[in-house]
Amino acid sequence: MASPVPRRVRLRPWLVAQVDSGRFPGLRWVDARRRLFVIPWHHATRHFPAHSGDDDTVFKAWAAETGKFLAGRDEPDPAKWKATLRCALNKSREFRLHYDGTRAVPPRPYKVYEVCGADGADAVTGDDFSCGGEEEEEEEDVSELQKLMSLSINDCRRDPVPPWPEEHPQFSSTDPTVPFMPPELPPELTPQLNPQLTPQLPPPGPPALLEHGVPNLLASPHLLPLTDLELRFQYRGRRVSALTVSHPLGCRLSHGGSLPPTPQRPDLLGHPELQQVPFPDPEGIPHDKQRRYTRTLLGAMERGLLLELGGQDLYATRLCRCKVFWDGPCAPPQDPHLDPRPNPMERERRVQVFSLQRFLDGLILFQKGQSPTPPPFEVFLCFGEEWPDHRPKEKKLITVQVVPVAARLLLELFSGELSWSADSVPLQISQPDLKDALVEQFKELHRLWQQQQRPEPGPQPQL
């Protein structure tokens, strides 16, 4: 059977009429004066619940209006319908994306558009666009990642201000059984809405880096914790301490220092504004010989080791007498056919140990399938013993693992996995549907019935 013939349709009058009609749940004006309207926008491949192909959505209606879909003739394709309308809105000069909740932190399944300018003739057809549906949105994630290439750690030394600070629409629920509610609007817009339809939500807190186990940071790169470093201290393979340093300059690792750093002589103990991080006390080590050797090494760490942030990079400077060996993404490459060569850190020489730009380059190649493995980002420091060598790191007396948090979050975002350090497990649980709600109602009725069947206590005997 022949495919439906694409028709030329003017997007603006058609879409404005749909908003006015109230036919589609959630498609409504949020500010008629400013010509702002909201469209429910669920992503089929992310954690938002997807709609079935039989849903009566504005995306399906646009596909039918432009001749791209005919009921009974074409297979339902909600992703293609949504991509077609999205491309039409992006191409039209009469609509402007005012707020994209799908790229907010945390994500919200709707977008707010503004009707711009006079009513012009933006006639379009379904064939005017070459859209890739959900795959195209994944490509947009890669392009957003490329925008981070010019991001500097220095940019995070200002107080982060989330986008749309006064116009963050709040969504009442992502449960498909709950009707779509209009966003919460600024005070000056609230009188134009029906107060019975406006959800009463608590004021939003600080932007969360993780929501349902998956961070959505690409749309707001200034929210990336570029200055956060996870430090994991291990004494002979046993973790004795772990903490996160969130200082815009970095930190200084030391032990037993009785003199504080001074601005007059930063070459002795580092910059005084660096966060001071002491090594854990070795008294908890059960073996006498190991504890004695560990004390000897810590006694040579009074001046410490500096971990300093600069631009897009992390640098290390060894000031202490204890020799430091290291491995990481910026270390000299090892020949896999030869025995590993120890990589010492020269004293009082600033060494680059991590580069955000190099990591992002590798992540883009990995995401495009041009690299078989994701880029490394962890830095391993070994104090007082050679590394790398033939002995495993778990046998070393003192080691510190340095993890740039921003790199870990970005890798988890694209791999779809979360490490235990994120304090979150990606549990797979479906959203409750109407049958689940019915079961809960029956349970509540059963509980009430049981309460009614209990005999009322009689009068207590008088003693």
Side-chain angles (χ1 to χ4, degrees), residues 14 25 46 103 117 168 204 245 260 278 286:
W14 181 89
R46 297 178 186 165
R103 296 190 179 276
H168 254 313
V245 174

Side-chain angles (χ1 to χ4, degrees), residues 145-146 148-153 226 310-314 330 352 354-365 375 407 410:
L145 178 60
Q146 291 171 324
L148 296 176
M149 302 304 294
S150 60
L151 192 64
S152 170
I153 290 176
L226 295 179
Q312 298 176 337
D313 305 321
L314 175 65
C330 294
Q352 183 186 42
F354 173 76
S355 169
L356 177 64
Q357 183 171 357
R358 182 182 300 183
F359 171 80
L360 294 176
D361 280 333
L363 185 56
I364 291 174
L365 293 177
L410 285 172

Side-chain angles (χ1 to χ4, degrees), residues 138-139 141-149 215 217-218 224 226 329 354-377 404-417:
E138 297 299 333
E139 290 296 326
D141 286 344
V142 176
S143 65
E144 291 289 345
L145 178 60
Q146 291 171 324
K147 294 179 183 178
L148 296 176
M149 302 304 294
L217 302 172
L218 298 184
L224 277 169
L226 295 179
F354 173 76
S355 169
L356 177 64
Q357 183 171 357
R358 182 182 300 183
F359 171 80
L360 294 176
D361 280 333
L363 185 56
I364 291 174
L365 293 177
F366 175 68
Q367 191 64 20
K368 291 182 176 180
Q370 299 175 10
S371 174
T373 58
F377 57 89
V405 175
R408 176 175 61 78
L409 289 178
L410 285 172
L411 186 58
E412 290 171 353
L413 167 64
F414 281 94
S415 64
E417 300 175 356

Side-chain angles (χ1 to χ4, degrees), residues 68-176:
K68 297 297 291 183
F69 173 74
L70 186 62
R73 178 179 299 182
D74 302 309
E75 289 293 328
D77 192 347
K80 184 177 180 180
W81 301 339
K82 184 174 64 174
T84 301
L85 182 57
R86 171 169 53 84
C87 290
L89 287 166
N90 291 343
K91 184 176 181 180
S92 174
R93 295 188 298 272
E94 298 185 314
F95 293 94
R96 183 175 70 88
L97 181 61
H98 191 75
Y99 174 76
D100 188 351
T102 66
R103 296 190 179 276
V105 181
R108 301 181 177 98
Y110 56 83
K111 297 183 180 183
V112 177
Y113 281 90
E114 177 183 3
V115 182
C116 304
D119 188 1
D122 59 338
V124 295
T125 69
D127 288 340
D128 288 341
F129 317 105
S130 55
C131 298
E134 302 298 336
E135 293 80 2
E136 183 178 279
E137 295 197 17
E138 297 299 333
E139 290 296 326
E140 291 176 359
D141 286 344
V142 176
S143 65
E144 291 289 345
L145 178 60
Q146 291 171 324
K147 294 179 183 178
L148 296 176
M149 302 304 294
S150 60
L151 192 64
S152 170
I153 290 176
N154 296 325
D155 297 337
C156 290
R157 298 183 183 179
R158 301 184 298 271
D159 292 334
V161 179
W164 310 96
E166 300 297 332
E167 300 184 44
H168 254 313
Q170 303 292 329
F171 187 59
S172 61
S173 175
T174 58
D175 188 340

